[in-house]
Amino acid sequence: MYLLDTTSTAAIAIYALLSTAYKSMQVLYTRPRNGSVVSAAPVETGPRPAVDVIVPCFNEDPRILSACLASIADQDYAGELRVYVVDDGSRNRDAIVRVHDAYARDPRFSFILLPENVGKRKAQIAAIRQSSGDLVLNVDSDSTVASDVVTKLALKMQNPRVGAVMGQLIASNRADTWLTRLIDMEYWLACNEERAAQARFGAVMCCCGPSAMYRRSALLSLLDQYETQLFRGRPSDFGEDRHLTILMLKAGFRTEYVPDAIVATVVPDTLGSYLRQQLRWARSTFRDTFLALHLLPGLDRYLTLDVIGQNVGPLLLAVSVVAGLAQFMLTATVPWWTVLMIASMTMIRCSVVAFRARQLRFLGFALHTPINIFLLLPLKAYALCTLSNSDWLSRGFAPNVPDSVQKQIAVQSPGLAASDCTSRGE
């Protein structure tokens, strides 16, 4: 039993050291850097580039899709804007067509009706090959974008070294359940800590699907690789956003983050749908992390720490928890050192985030710790053992329509000034 106690204690101690170093560096690199060329905003000159907005849609609720298209139609972008809505063989097409009809007279909108479901990736590619704008903005059909999102993302793309850029995500249905509130906080952390720190070095590792803009010239050069991605000889038909971002980095382009380009997206409101989403994302993350490993020597050393922190950290935590549970079941003794260490790290982490965001609600993010330990860690282990499984997992489930959508979603800044969020490394 001494071995179990030692294993649990050692694993949690190493995890604490790694997590402290990683999170401290992460917070440090989210702060603006005065006089930095990287973080300086590009100067707006010349005509605005033409932007094609692509909205793939599959079995979407008509009200959610309508809110999405309305937010795109209301963009204040001064340049040419065209919108391609791709219906990917939806089974509720009769209802969706009525949404299409509402925009049929708007010359900016085009509708592509695919005869059968081919997946989000091929739906995107169908629109990319029909469009011709300088920039391509992918928007998920369950998302709504603030009126200035296209302008702010396009402004960042003035730097010719930038291949892709994303905005900040918030949950449009945050107020619906305890889970949606928790996911909204999770998104804030993912954007304003993880992505913001990566952006310091022009290497955001995943430009997320709800709103990601790409340079067409770069996108076209990578399109064949994107379309034909294989994993262990089988087509990979999820994880589009992360894979396309990694391809951009491999091609030598910067990938960036704009914290004040706000995008609201519908998030899972039940634990089952959340776990299915997390399983799909975990498989995608593991697959493309392997693909990205050879990029790390050419990037700042912080990106290596980032990959270690996100992958080795959970492994150490899992080893500590498993050893501690085994000790408890075999000896009926509680591994107090492990419990106290996890509890103290959770409270410190949540307090720091609440201070940075100036929002006390982040103290409630402590609830994420037991979910992570008892649900997400086992799920990630299962994902690692089933990497070849390409099931979408959520395509057969009809989306729940949150109250926030039924009341017409309003996209708002999440209560934190952009200057407080992050460095302008993108």
Side-chain angles (χ1 to χ4, degrees):
M1 297 311 103
Y2 175 77
L3 178 60
L4 289 175
D5 181 53
T6 302
T7 300
S8 180
T9 301
I12 198 64
I14 298 172
Y15 170 74
L17 290 173
L18 174 61
S19 181
T20 299
Y22 171 46
K23 294 300 180 182
S24 297
M25 294 293 288
Q26 194 175 74
V27 170
L28 174 65
Y29 285 132
T30 59
R31 300 187 64 82
R33 201 165 40 169
N34 293 331
S36 168
V37 175
V38 170
S39 59
V43 178
E44 184 178 345
T45 58
R48 303 285 183 93
V51 176
D52 294 326
V53 183
I54 296 176
V55 185
C57 166
F58 177 72
N59 288 352
E60 191 60 86
D61 185 284
R63 287 168 291 185
I64 295 178
L65 179 61
S66 180
C68 173
L69 299 187
S71 72
I72 297 171
D74 290 340
Q75 289 297 300
D76 61 6
Y77 187 60
E80 181 182 356
L81 186 73
R82 289 195 58 83
V83 185
Y84 295 83
V85 183
V86 187
D87 184 270
D88 186 20
S90 294
R91 293 187 293 270
N92 64 341
R93 182 167 286 177
D94 289 344
I96 293 296
V97 166
R98 290 196 290 271
V99 178
H100 297 176
D101 291 342
Y103 296 90
R105 295 183 180 180
D106 189 328
R108 298 174 299 174
F109 281 76
S110 299
F111 298 91
I112 302 172
L113 305 180
L114 301 181
E116 59 182 5
N117 178 241
V118 295
K120 178 180 175 181
R121 186 179 310 219
K122 287 184 171 57
Q124 289 174 337
I125 292 172
I128 291 170
R129 286 180 170 152
Q130 288 193 27
S131 59
S132 59
D134 303 298
L135 305 174
V136 175
L137 175 64
N138 288 334
V139 176
D140 284 349
S141 59
D142 60 357
S143 302
T144 55
V145 295
S147 61
D148 58 358
V149 162
V150 173
T151 298
K152 288 178 176 177
L153 296 184
L155 185 62
K156 181 64 69 174
M157 298 291 284
Q158 285 186 323
N159 182 346
R161 296 173 57 203
V162 176
V165 60
M166 65 169 283
Q168 180 176 178
L169 308 183
I170 63 174
S172 59
N173 55 332
R174 182 179 82 182
D176 286 2
T177 68
W178 65 269
L179 181 60
T180 58
R181 292 183 178 92
L182 199 64
I183 294 173
D184 182 69
M185 290 185 275
E186 191 175 12
Y187 278 15
W188 191 95
L189 290 165
C191 289
N192 294 298
E193 288 194 348
E194 180 186 319
R195 265 63 166 192
Q198 292 170 351
R200 180 87 168 212
F201 309 102
V204 172
M205 303 302 271
C206 178
C207 290
C208 300
S211 181
M213 180 175 283
Y214 301 92
R215 186 175 306 281
R216 174 177 292 277
S217 57
L219 189 57
L220 291 178
S221 68
L222 302 170
L223 208 55
D224 288 342
Q225 296 180 63
Y226 178 54
E227 184 175 14
T228 59
Q229 181 192 3
L230 299 175
F231 185 79
R232 294 178 179 172
R234 298 177 59 184
S236 181
D237 52 5
F238 58 76
E240 300 86 0
D241 317 317
R242 184 175 295 275
H243 185 64
L244 190 51
T245 306
I246 296 300
L247 289 178
M248 285 287 176
L249 290 170
K250 285 182 63 179
F253 290 97
R254 295 175 61 86
T255 54
E256 306 279 10
Y257 168 60
V258 179
D260 54 351
I262 308 300
V263 182
T265 189
V266 178
V267 301
D269 58 2
T270 64
L271 201 54
S273 57
Y274 174 66
L275 293 177
R276 286 191 296 271
Q277 178 198 66
Q278 292 299 307
L279 176 57
R280 190 173 71 249
W281 287 2
R283 286 173 177 155
S284 167
T285 299
F286 285 133
R287 290 181 182 187
D288 284 298
T289 295
F290 295 146
L291 181 65
L293 287 178
H294 76 280
L295 294 175
L296 295 178
L299 301 174
D300 189 272
R301 284 176 293 180
Y302 168 76
L303 277 304
T304 300
L305 176 61
D306 183 82
V307 170
I308 293 173
Q310 291 193 50
N311 293 278
V312 178
L315 175 62
L316 291 169
L317 180 59
V319 169
S320 177
V321 170
V322 169
L325 288 174
Q327 177 186 341
F328 177 73
M329 288 187 292
L330 293 174
T331 67
T333 58
V334 177
W336 288 111
W337 172 253
T338 298
V339 172
L340 292 174
M341 182 65 75
I342 292 174
S344 60
M345 290 182 65
T346 297
M347 293 315 300
I348 292 172
R349 171 104 166 105
C350 293
S351 299
V352 170
V353 175
F355 175 77
R356 290 190 63 233
R358 307 294 192 269
Q359 297 179 43
L360 288 176
R361 70 187 178 104
F362 281 94
L363 295 177
F365 195 68
L367 179 60
H368 187 267
T369 295
I371 292 176
N372 181 45
I373 291 173
F374 297 109
L375 294 177
L376 297 184
L377 286 180
L379 182 143
K380 288 178 181 178
Y382 177 71
L384 191 58
C385 295
T386 58
L387 285 182
S388 296
N389 190 327
S390 293
D391 291 343
W392 185 263
L393 298 172
S394 62
R395 282 187 172 271
F397 296 86
N400 293 324
V401 183
D403 293 339
S404 51
V405 173
Q406 295 182 30
K407 296 174 182 176
Q408 295 297 320
I409 298 172
V411 182
Q412 300 176 351
S413 175
L416 181 66
S419 60
D420 295 335
C421 297
T422 177
S423 66
R424 297 302 183 269
E426 37 206 328

